[in-house]
Amino acid sequence: MIPLAFLLVSGCRSASHDTGTGIQSRRELDSLRAMYRSFNVNGQYDSLIETARPLVRKALAANDTLALLYSGVYTAQAFLIQENIDSLRSYMNLIAPYRQGGGKDPSLQTVLYIVEGLMHLKAELNYSLALECFREGCRWAESGDDPNNHIVLLANIAHIFYVRQDPHGLQYAREAYAISGRPEVAPFPRCQANLLMGQMLLLADSSYK
């Protein structure tokens, strides 16, 4: 069975909308996102946590909503991957009151919904809330033209259907497979989409026999 997709693989995009308050410039925001993305993609989760914790405190003190949301959600994701559920919940609860300050930044909203959905799965086994988060994340990934994270979200939706042995997850696998043909898709989500398609086809075939 293909595991849950934890990595957020898409490149950092500059925000094209009014995304909140506090952070000094778009360049500074992109730098912050690039730093967390680098830690994440390279599996340096301890370094990410060590770097992000003081930045979370600094952002809180400065009332810097976007810096807080990005620092908080990537820290939460690092704890998720390390299976430190208490710390995951703590950081997601910390940033929850500020989430509306993320505005219309598709990159941020996509990340938030991925991590929240995975939290509902890992910490609570709440498939309904997880599906709700992943579907909302798909909407943001599509609006932000983010095919990599769109595949991540679709893969996690299909994973839930697979766990339930429900062949209706094939539609999500097909969508991920179609997106994976785009030239800008990274190797990991492209491979994941192909494997997912095979897995769900096998499930659908056995279900309909």
Side-chain angles (χ1 to χ4, degrees), residues 106 109-114 131-143 149-150 153:
Q109 295 294 344
T110 301
V111 171
L112 284 165
Y113 280 110
I114 290 175
L131 281 171
E132 184 179 324
C133 288
F134 294 146
R135 284 169 173 152
E136 185 64 16
C138 283
R139 186 176 72 81
W140 282 103
E142 187 173 6
S143 73
N149 276 328
H150 199 173
L153 285 153

Side-chain angles (χ1 to χ4, degrees), residues 161 165-172 200 203 208:
F161 279 89
Q165 291 293 285
D166 184 343
H168 290 96
L170 180 58
Q171 63 179 305
Y172 299 99
M200 292 308 300
L203 175 61
Y208 293 128

Side-chain angles (χ1 to χ4, degrees), residues 76-162:
Q77 191 207 19
F79 282 125
L80 171 69
I81 293 170
Q82 294 181 340
E83 300 197 356
N84 185 335
I85 302 302
D86 288 340
S87 294
L88 160 66
R89 281 177 169 154
S90 176
Y91 274 86
M92 290 302 286
N93 288 337
L94 174 69
I95 64 176
Y98 302 90
R99 285 185 61 168
Q100 286 190 341
K104 297 179 180 179
D105 180 352
S107 177
L108 175 58
Q109 295 294 344
T110 301
V111 171
L112 284 165
Y113 280 110
I114 290 175
V115 177
E116 185 183 1
L118 289 170
M119 179 183 71
H120 288 311
L121 277 182
K122 293 287 286 184
E124 305 158 11
L125 292 178
N126 191 324
Y127 294 116
S128 296
L129 282 178
L131 281 171
E132 184 179 324
C133 288
F134 294 146
R135 284 169 173 152
E136 185 64 16
C138 283
R139 186 176 72 81
W140 282 103
E142 187 173 6
S143 73
D145 193 27
D146 183 354
N148 290 303
N149 276 328
H150 199 173
I151 291 172
V152 167
L153 285 153
L154 290 166
N156 284 328
I157 292 172
H159 173 86
I160 292 173
F161 279 89
Y162 186 86

